[in-house]
Amino acid sequence: MRVTIFGSGYVGLVTGACLADAGNHVVCIDVDAAKIERLKAGEVPIHEPGLEALIRRNAEAGRLEFTTDVVRGVAHGLYQLIAVGTPPGEDGSADLSHVLTVARSIGTHLSRYCVVITKSTVPVGTADKVYAEMTRTLAARGAEVEFDVVSNPEFLKEGAAVNDFMRPDRVVIGSGSARATELMRALYEPFIRNHDRLIVMDIRSSELTKYAANAMLATKISFMNELANIAEKVGADIEKVRIGIGSDPRIGYSFIYPGTGYGGSCFPKDVQALIRSAHDAGHEPQILGAVEEVNARQKTVLFGKIQQHFKGQLRGLTIALWGLAFKPQTDDMREAPSRTLIDLLVKAGAQVRAYDPVAGNEARRLYQGVAGFELAKNAYEAAAGADALAIVTEWQEFRSPDFERLRESLRTAVIFDGRNLYDPNMVSRFGLTYYAIGRGRQPGIAANEGS
Ligand SMILES: NC(=O)c1ccc[n+]([C@@H]2O[C@H](COP(=O)([O-])OP(=O)(O)OC[C@H]3O[C@@H](n4cnc5c(N)ncnc54)[C@H](O)[C@@H]3O)[C@@H](O)[C@H]2O)c1
């Protein structure tokens, strides 16, 4: 089937490559000409496991093309997917300008039936806006072309995106048209063969489902971070508590890890956008406001511990930082907790020497010209001669380091672990002072009142 995708970012590229792999002919469009040139040259601009090989295979087979040519794209697809960014506007609401620009482009060039699919995360009512914008644009040129608009939120996780798309937990379709629903079923059939995972509902419920999912996950994280801070104050170990509650199947083990707060391109902006939508609809969302506040505070917790350990004297110190990406397996640093920590450390006069297995280029782009920031080639180079080591992302390669080497190479043998990667007793046996998140009064853990 012929598919056109607007937006060649994390969602657009993964969707395009996976749909092409199922035999569809996919044209990916982006306004970023440099990105399209790189893609045409076989370069994949983001780090996503498995994506490069998938793109190469399907591009070589002629099933996956990249272009900036909107006219060609609109002429191509029976399916027109909108996967452009919906960044937060100044008031926190989702900025729909890119989505509506695409709607106008499709309306301007459409000459036969298509189904327009909003895959971007968009507030309730957006499909109506897309429909209205297309209707207006078609009318302005006196064209009468049938089309449907459906909502099809994307649930893929960065770092596991290809696998998530190929083997989805569910595919949510919001549709008011039997014809469009049938076409959506056909599009997803190759990915849900083992049993039907298509959940069809009305458009508004589908739009809200995406926000509900992300808000729930963000809530779990903030809840655990709140509990971690309580555990620290009352002398309990949050890691024991985590296991104690996760064993209840009603709670479960996933997404209840305490840490340095959630980041990335989705949770922060989606929680904000949902708060904004609730306000606009005349509802005060109390839980969501707290989720956001707890998260903002949590992003500063590691800095608080560092500051306290060094009695507020950070000027001139070098802090090694392991992990820059907002989570492992991606190079995405949007809203990453590492950025809050770097900013606070640099502002306090410290030098940050950071290492990340894949986000180096992104960090170079973001911190170009920032005097207090430098990148190391590997984890031990970052630690060599540093006054402390802070761990922000739980990359696999950080999970079992050579503690002896660390103790010898750090100028002060102290670790601030924002991901609770280690057994505190073991770390202390290697002669390292160890601070973690929410692990109060455990042997091996340095006292850290007031964090
Ligand atoms: N990244 C994720 O993990 C994820 C997961 C689920 C849903 N989403 C949602 O999907 C949407 C896209 O997210 P992303 O992370 O892929 O964003 P992204 O920033 O990586 O990519 C968006 C792309 O759209 C392009 N673009 C902007 N305007 C355009 C236009 N008029 N025509 C064509 N291309 C245009 C940009 O140049 C950019 O390359 C967002 O709404 C996001 O909330 C993201």
Side-chain angles (χ1 to χ4, degrees), residues 165-181:
F165 196 96
M166 293 291 199
R167 278 168 282 275
D169 298 328
R170 80 294 212 191
V171 175
V172 171
I173 306 292
S175 169
S177 142
R179 180 182 186 183
T181 305

Side-chain angles (χ1 to χ4, degrees), residues 5-20:
I5 302 182
F6 290 86
S8 303
Y10 284 86
V11 171
L13 277 181
V14 170
T15 305
C18 293
L19 288 174

Side-chain angles (χ1 to χ4, degrees), residues 45-101:
I46 54 170
H47 175 87
E48 192 56 54
L51 185 60
E52 198 169 335
L54 201 62
I55 289 180
R56 192 178 319 118
R57 183 164 74 232
N58 286 286
E60 277 169 14
R63 287 190 297 264
L64 184 59
E65 298 178 60
F66 301 100
T67 182
T68 52
D69 184 349
V70 174
V71 180
R72 157 128 205 273
V74 176
H76 173 79
L78 166 62
Y79 299 88
Q80 307 269 335
L81 279 84
I82 306 178
V84 297
T86 46
E90 278 186 9
D91 60 357
S93 63
D95 176 353
L96 294 179
S97 57
H98 301 309
V99 171
L100 295 177
T101 300

